[in-house]
Amino acid sequence: MPQHADRTALPAFRTEGLTKTYGTGAAAVHALRGVDLDLPAGELVVLLGPSGSGKSTLLNILGGLDRASSGVAHFRDLELTAMSDRALTRYRRAHIGFVFQFYNLMPSLTAEENVELVTEISETPMDPAHALDLVGLGSRRHHFPAQLSGGEQQRVAIARAIAKQPDVLFCDEPTGALDSATGRAVLSVLRDVNDRLGTTILMVTHAAATAAMAHRVIHFADGAIRDTELNASRLSPEEIEW
Amino acid sequence: MVSPAHLLSPLDRKLLRDLWRIKGQAAAIATVIGLGVLMLVMMTGLVNTLDETRAAYYDRYRLADVFAPVERASDRMLERLAEIPGVRAVEGRVTGQALIDVEGEIIPVRARAVSLPASGAARLNDIFLAAGRMPGPGRDEEVLLLKGFADARGLRPGDRLSATMNGARHSFRVTGLAQSPEFLYTTAPGEIVPDDARFAVIWMNREGLGAAYDLEGAFNEALIALETGANEAAVIDAVDRILKPRGGLGAFGLVDLPSNFFISEEIRGGRKNAVFVPPIFLGVSAFLLYIVVNRIVQAEREEIGLLKAFGYSDTEVSVHYLKLMLTIALVGAAAGALGGIAAGRAMAGLYQEYYKFPFLVFELDPKSFVTGFATSVIAACAGGFGVLRGVFRLAPAEAMRPPAPADFSGTGRMGALARRLLDQPGRMVLRRLERQPGRMFGAAIGIAAGMALSVGMIGVQAGFARAIELSFTVLDRSDAQVTFTHAMSDKVIYELGRVPGILEVEPIRVAPVVFRHDFHEHRGAINGQSAEARLARAMDSEQRPLSLPEEGMVLSSTLAGILDAAPGDRITAEIREGRRPVLEIPVVAVADALMGSPAYMDIDALDRALKEPGRVSGAYLRIDSDQAGNIFRAVRDMPGVAGIALKADMRESIQTMMDSGMGAMRFIMLGIAGIVTFGIVYNAARIAYAERARDLASLRVIGFSRAEAAFVLLGELGLIALIALPLGAAGGFGMAALISAAFSTEVYSIPLMFDAQSVATAAVAVLVAAAVSGWLVKRDLDRIELVSALKTRE
């Protein structure tokens, strides 16, 4: 049994036969070809796989950003695949945080204001300044995105994602645009969030080495899960070789 | 402590900073929509103000409702007039024609002398004493002078005045200057154009004036005020019956008072203008607002997706963008409304002077604010929500991704010729046009609408010039017009022909008349002219002279419009002089007259119908201008001559009227049309730049020079402008027709001028605007930071 099994009673996510097809006929692209998955809460899960293997698509569907073509996806007892747009909006608002590869900060808002953008509509928000402290950017909270380095922008994005104290944090290539040192710093923030706040984290990445810090590693190929492995011992981000 | 910035939600702070980021464009949009609102508020406010001021002026100075000229009636008749049901007050007065000698003028100026009541204030047609004092009781040598004339001639209280009344010469002293609602506009008899300097009104004591015109104890004009709700036509009939044995000349209502007719036409023209023209401007502005808001929100697609990903609901996102759109629209509308009030007030001040109102009742039209704001809000919302609906339909994951590269594959089959002729940037421009025709077409339509506005306004300027040119060089080729005090024997034509320097003489017989056709009625005159007139001619719309037949009448198109009559119809003409016959005359043709609304008949046929053969009431002259002085002296000394008007003077006064009255609006409108056109072109350039900044930076990164990258952007803008030109020209035709019709009144009509020059001028304006806008965005393009442009959406 993995060491964290005591943290949770319910699985966080469960899917059955999840598919996603873009386009129709000859031009149809099958991004997901039937994914069955059971993810316990509180884990740091890494989704690995080449471009186009379907991992981001799965993340988007579980995050309520996109809809499946067929199959069922549950978050706890919520059936995501049956929910209306309005309900999905409520779901994202209440439970989910996102970190994107290109940070997606609002250029016209400062670091702190970008965080407030989320705490504003959250039911159990953290103090935005505290969220920025957690990612080590307390002193830069009045800077605009253009005044921050890439790594700093990504840490703001993480602060923004965790400030609402989400149940799940989705990270799509969070280090994809960063150099290794900065990438490590970002990863250790994520690890920290998982350890200290108990937030379930689903992270999509190209960087296979990142898998060493996860509880669980899911390998994707051609729109399906090829393999799932559980790490008996996890490396800290500082120990990861890039 | 919470800093003030924290009182605003982060979304609101985003809003403010976004507005700041697009401030140039936001200002351009707000300006355009603001000008649309300004025009509406100003025009309606101005017209309302003039209308209300006129009504208040008439009311305060008790202007009569009915005027009843008569040859001579004793004051006892006033009691009988007062007994007519519906009559509230009656006053008799003496009026007469006079000639005033003016220093430096060979020909005396025509004037109307009007009596002041014997004691106390006038019950009707009171006057406003603008300067000096009233004539003293019993001081028959003291007079008041119409202020407009005094100002035009530099006369002041205390000056002396010499005038001829009823053949006798009098010397007067001006004690004061007066204004009267009865003489807002003064027109010499027989002329259509008011001119302050060439017609005067003098007021003097009743006894003195009565003595001058042999009307002691009698009056020759009754003024009648009606009770509210009284039947004016019935009163006029009763008055005519009572005064007929005394030589009644036909009572008429205020509507037919010449001064009131002119001011009414001005206000009516202004109202028509306010109804048609500002909505066109507002419509064009609203269309631009729609397009621009649409594109601005489209550019926010990724941010909208992000907000949705955070869990913001559709409503919350919509409210955010609604605030953005409405801030721009409402700031523009509010600025326009305030500007409209200020401009309306300023213009009203100018018009107050021009129309000679002693005071101003400034009155805005609340509806114009509602219309202006509602149009702005609806256009902004329609533009924004159309896009938002589309973005909301996308899954947030999709909205957040930059839109997939537009599929240009369908445009691949470019002709071999195009491939040989076009380099890569050239193809980029052309393919984009082909791939996103909707966007390009929208921008082209926007620019075309702006250009159409300019074409229309430039065309109207040309129309005004054309109206004058046609009237005074083509329709009327005379140099001067002589008017007689009464219809005289046509022998006077031969006498005029014998005056050295007079090259050509053409008789005219003007008969005042009330035209009726179906339910339409118009008080005007029939001009009896030579059948094959050479100087003052009736012409068809192709400027071919119409010969006047022995039977029937030619109507000007304006009059035909008023009477709703066409060739073949029979018009009833009640002649208002001499034997006052009532004639049934067929319409034989319609002429294109641009000044007034005349009707033409063969002079002999008219004289026969009047049973007064061989009579003329005036003459057109062609003269040798070197001998003008001698000619005027000779004509002045001929018996029965009331005055002589120079065509050049008349032309000048109508020009003044067109340039100072409601017609002056055309200059303001032209200016606004220019700004709106520029604003639209500039916005199109800004949008094109915003949407292509990334592509352009990429081009620069891979080694294109600034000029080459600019070509892609400016080439697109240029191409859109070129597409807009024919559309703008076509739209301009409609605009020109609409606007020239809106400016036309019964006093002057503005022909539709849709000529190459107007179109070319507007086209050049659009191209210049495109060049300037292109230069402005190219400056931004040159300053673009390549790497950051590739990274961020800015």
Side-chain angles (χ1 to χ4, degrees):
Chain A
M1 277 301 279
Q3 58 190 31
H4 58 272
D6 55 326
R7 283 199 203 169
T8 176
L10 265 173
F13 289 103
R14 189 160 50 75
T15 73
E16 286 164 28
L18 208 58
T19 73
K20 177 71 183 180
T21 309
Y22 295 104
T24 53
V29 175
H30 300 280
L32 293 181
R33 298 168 184 269
V35 171
D36 302 315
L37 192 66
D38 231 328
L39 291 179
E43 283 192 355
L44 197 165
V45 180
V46 164
L47 281 74
L48 279 178
S51 282
S53 58
K55 50 196 194 307
S56 291
T57 305
L58 177 67
L59 206 66
N60 286 339
I61 292 172
L62 295 182
L65 293 180
D66 209 346
R67 290 179 168 285
S69 302
S70 68
V72 184
H74 280 94
F75 170 73
R76 297 183 183 163
D77 50 358
L78 297 174
E79 189 185 342
L80 301 179
T81 38
M83 279 156 72
S84 67
D85 277 349
R86 196 177 289 263
L88 282 176
T89 298
R90 276 199 304 274
Y91 160 69
R92 293 195 299 269
R93 194 170 179 143
H95 303 288
I96 308 298
F98 289 102
V99 177
F100 303 102
Q101 180 177 2
F102 294 108
Y103 336 130
N104 292 58
L105 299 180
M106 295 279 176
S108 54
L109 296 180
T110 62
E112 188 173 38
E113 287 165 351
N114 262 289
V115 178
E116 285 172 8
L117 199 56
V118 170
T119 56
E120 182 81 4
I121 56 166
S122 154
E123 281 158 23
T124 53
M126 221 182 253
D127 175 16
H130 179 59
L132 285 168
D133 283 339
L134 283 181
V135 298
L137 282 178
S139 60
R140 315 214 59 176
R141 49 191 241 231
H142 296 308
H143 287 65
F144 282 94
Q147 298 167 306
L148 299 171
S149 72
E152 286 171 328
Q153 289 185 52
Q154 191 60 299
R155 275 144 69 195
V156 173
I158 294 171
R160 183 174 65 182
I162 61 173
K164 69 200 271 193
Q165 311 216 44
D167 297 307
V168 186
L169 195 55
F170 287 94
C171 308
D172 194 350
E173 303 275 11
T175 59
L178 303 174
D179 63 69
S180 60
T182 320
R184 258 188 215 109
V186 166
L187 290 180
S188 63
V189 170
L190 290 175
R191 164 84 187 251
D192 212 34
V193 167
N194 179 245
D195 287 349
R196 284 165 55 182
L197 305 176
T199 311
T200 307
I201 296 181
L202 261 70
M203 178 162 50
V204 159
T205 181
H206 268 99
T210 315
M213 66 179 273
H215 294 112
R216 184 186 295 259
V217 182
I218 301 175
H219 293 271
F220 260 81
D222 290 331
I225 294 172
R226 201 190 61 205
D227 181 25
T228 300
E229 52 183 304
L230 298 176
N231 283 335
S233 64
R234 299 159 63 205
L235 293 182
S236 73
E238 291 74 31
E239 297 166 302
I240 291 174
E241 295 285 329
W242 286 60
Chain B
M1 272 298 284
V2 186
S3 76
H6 284 77
L7 294 176
L8 289 173
S9 77
L11 269 187
D12 286 342
R13 269 172 274 160
K14 170 182 178 310
L15 173 80
L16 290 180
R17 296 204 183 107
D18 283 349
L19 275 172
W20 183 247
R21 175 169 59 85
I22 59 166
K23 56 186 176 298
Q25 198 177 1
I29 305 165
T31 303
V32 170
I33 191 77
L35 285 173
V37 174
L38 179 147
M39 185 86 104
L40 186 70
V41 169
M42 175 186 74
M43 282 298 292
T44 52
L46 194 55
V47 172
N48 269 12
T49 297
L50 292 181
D51 213 0
E52 289 296 317
T53 303
R54 173 181 65 163
Y57 191 19
Y58 284 6
D59 189 51
R60 278 188 218 175
Y61 290 85
R62 299 182 295 280
L63 188 63
D65 298 308
V66 172
F67 297 75
V70 58
E71 280 176 9
R72 182 197 170 94
S74 76
D75 286 346
R76 287 194 312 274
M77 297 296 287
L78 293 173
E79 289 161 28
R80 287 188 56 195
L81 294 176
E83 286 162 8
I84 299 172
V87 170
R88 181 166 54 80
V90 178
E91 188 157 295
R93 68 179 185 181
V94 174
T95 85
Q97 305 295 331
L99 292 170
I100 297 178
D101 295 316
V102 175
E103 222 184 308
E105 295 272 345
I106 297 169
I107 303 161
V109 170
R110 279 176 280 181
R112 179 136 181 239
V114 179
S115 67
L116 292 166
S119 57
R123 267 183 300 173
L124 295 173
N125 290 25
D126 202 359
I127 52 169
F128 167 71
L129 191 64
R133 60 167 179 81
M134 299 290 284
R139 307 294 296 265
D140 292 348
E141 80 286 6
E142 292 185 344
V143 297
L144 295 177
L145 191 58
L146 183 67
K147 184 170 181 293
F149 175 77
D151 289 346
R153 293 291 184 174
L155 293 165
R156 304 293 315 147
D159 288 351
R160 299 209 67 87
L161 201 68
S162 150
T164 310
M165 289 176 174
N166 210 12
R169 220 169 160 80
H170 300 262
S171 181
F172 296 113
R173 205 156 64 83
V174 178
T175 60
L177 305 182
Q179 286 173 255
S180 155
E182 187 182 354
F183 301 108
L184 289 170
Y185 268 109
T186 50
T187 316
E191 289 186 25
I192 53 164
V193 189
D195 186 342
D196 281 350
R198 292 192 298 115
F199 189 73
V201 178
I202 55 180
W203 286 268
M204 53 187 287
N205 288 327
R206 170 87 184 260
E207 296 78 19
L209 197 60
Y213 288 97
D214 305 323
L215 285 165
E216 286 120 328
F219 64 92
N220 65 356
E221 186 171 39
L223 305 173
I224 296 164
L226 300 179
E227 281 166 356
T228 324
N231 180 347
E232 186 185 290
V235 171
I236 288 175
D237 282 349
V239 170
D240 281 348
R241 271 197 308 279
I242 293 171
L243 292 181
K244 192 165 186 185
R246 305 284 179 267
L249 297 169
F252 57 89
L254 181 57
V255 184
D256 292 315
L257 183 74
S259 163
N260 183 59
F261 169 74
F262 275 104
I263 186 100
S264 300
E265 273 306 299
E266 283 279 282
I267 293 174
R268 203 174 66 88
R271 198 171 287 290
K272 196 162 58 156
N273 222 314
V275 166
F276 287 108
V277 182
I280 296 175
F281 279 74
L282 192 60
V284 170
S285 304
F287 181 64
L288 173 78
L289 184 62
Y290 169 82
I291 291 185
V292 173
V293 164
N294 190 298
R295 301 290 275 270
I296 287 180
V297 176
Q298 210 134 40
E300 295 274 313
R301 184 184 130 124
E302 290 169 47
E303 301 205 349
I304 296 169
L306 187 65
L307 289 173
K308 291 277 293 160
F310 292 155
Y312 278 91
S313 69
D314 287 359
T315 314
E316 284 162 328
V317 175
S318 301
V319 166
H320 172 61
Y321 285 99
L322 190 69
K323 282 185 192 165
L324 178 78
M325 301 177 292
L326 288 189
T327 305
I328 298 175
L330 290 179
V331 164
L338 291 177
I341 296 172
R345 212 175 251 286
M347 293 299 294
L350 292 178
Y351 281 124
Q352 180 191 357
E353 253 174 52
Y354 177 68
Y355 295 122
K356 305 179 203 75
F357 291 126
F359 56 85
L360 201 63
V361 183
F362 192 71
E363 178 104 7
L364 293 161
D365 182 0
K367 281 203 301 290
S368 66
F369 294 93
V370 175
T371 311
F373 275 86
T375 310
S376 314
V377 167
I378 290 170
C381 292
F385 283 132
V387 185
L388 284 176
R389 252 205 330 274
V391 178
F392 289 156
R393 266 202 298 272
L394 300 176
E398 201 180 337
M400 276 164 60
R401 273 194 294 273
D407 181 7
F408 285 82
S409 58
T411 64
R413 288 175 299 282
M414 216 170 246
L417 182 69
R419 266 208 305 280
R420 244 201 350 267
L421 292 179
L422 289 173
D423 55 1
Q424 293 302 336
R427 285 183 215 179
M428 281 177 73
V429 171
L430 212 64
R431 287 218 173 106
R432 181 161 149 94
L433 203 67
E434 214 181 322
R435 175 63 186 86
Q436 299 176 316
R439 284 189 182 192
M440 300 298 110
F441 201 61
I445 294 266
I447 294 176
M451 176 174 157
L453 211 53
S454 289
V455 171
M457 286 319 304
I458 295 169
V460 164
Q461 316 289 324
F464 272 82
R466 177 87 176 139
I468 288 197
E469 191 60 27
L470 260 182
S471 298
F472 289 98
T473 60
V474 180
L475 298 177
D476 182 352
R477 298 188 292 188
S478 69
D479 300 314
Q481 191 183 344
V482 178
T483 314
F484 305 126
T485 49
H486 55 281
M488 296 179 41
S489 157
D490 56 10
K491 273 191 294 205
V492 71
I493 299 299
Y494 302 107
E495 283 165 34
L496 281 169
R498 281 204 297 273
V499 173
I502 295 185
L503 308 175
E504 216 169 330
V505 186
E506 207 168 82
I508 179 169
R509 173 79 202 262
V510 179
V513 63
V514 175
F515 296 105
R516 287 183 215 281
H517 178 244
D518 291 342
F519 307 107
H520 308 284
E521 184 185 301
H522 181 72
R523 201 180 173 89
I526 299 178
N527 293 352
Q529 300 181 186
S530 307
E532 305 293 339
R534 292 178 32 80
L535 296 182
R537 303 178 293 175
M539 290 189 154
D540 67 10
S541 54
E542 310 287 318
Q543 275 96 57
R544 286 177 305 221
L546 291 164
S547 68
L548 301 171
E550 283 195 27
E551 285 288 320
M553 178 165 63
V554 172
L555 299 186
S556 59
S557 47
T558 326
L559 183 57
I562 297 168
L563 296 174
D564 191 19
D569 291 349
R570 294 184 77 83
I571 304 286
T572 307
E574 298 176 15
I575 308 292
R576 290 301 176 116
E577 67 167 33
R579 293 167 214 269
R580 311 187 65 181
V582 176
L583 310 173
E584 285 280 319
I585 312 174
V587 178
V588 290
V590 172
D592 228 25
L594 298 169
M595 300 291 151
S597 42
Y600 309 91
M601 265 180 88
D602 172 47
I603 188 166
D604 297 329
L606 178 63
D607 278 351
R608 272 198 306 279
L610 296 175
K611 301 203 166 51
E612 293 178 350
R615 294 273 160 170
V616 298
S617 52
Y620 291 98
L621 308 179
R622 196 161 65 76
I623 62 170
D624 175 358
S625 53
D626 291 343
Q627 305 185 50
N630 290 331
I631 295 169
F632 294 160
R633 263 183 286 276
V635 171
R636 177 192 62 188
D637 296 336
M638 289 172 69
V641 168
I644 176 166
L646 286 178
K647 192 84 341 136
D649 287 345
M650 289 170 72
R651 184 175 176 151
E652 203 180 301
S653 32
I654 194 144
Q655 185 78 59
T656 308
M657 180 184 181
M658 287 173 162
D659 293 351
S660 328
M662 274 298 162
M665 271 297 152
R666 70 187 191 273
F667 301 118
I668 293 175
M669 290 177 177
L670 177 65
I672 292 182
I675 300 174
V676 168
T677 306
F678 179 82
I680 291 177
V681 176
Y682 176 72
N683 269 297
R686 279 252 73 98
I687 291 173
Y689 174 67
E691 290 177 356
R692 304 218 82 179
R694 220 180 250 259
D695 296 355
L696 298 170
S698 306
L699 284 179
R700 296 271 291 114
V701 167
I702 61 175
F704 277 72
S705 70
R706 283 180 177 170
E708 285 162 334
F711 173 79
V712 174
L713 178 68
L714 302 185
E716 181 181 317
L717 184 62
L719 203 55
I720 292 174
L722 287 179
I723 294 171
L725 294 185
L727 297 175
F733 179 78
M735 290 278 187
L738 211 70
I739 299 174
S740 52
F743 269 103
S744 297
T745 67
E746 283 180 34
V747 179
Y748 54 78
S749 7
I750 302 307
L752 165 61
M753 284 296 280
F754 179 69
D755 54 344
Q757 205 184 340
S758 305
V759 175
T761 311
V764 167
V766 164
L767 293 177
V768 167
V772 172
S773 306
W775 177 73
L776 287 173
V777 292
K778 183 175 180 303
R779 274 192 330 171
D780 286 0
L781 178 61
D782 290 346
R783 284 198 224 114
I784 203 167
E785 246 187 275
L786 296 183
V787 178
S788 66
L790 289 180
K791 270 190 188 161
T792 69
R793 69 186 181 88
E794 279 184 313

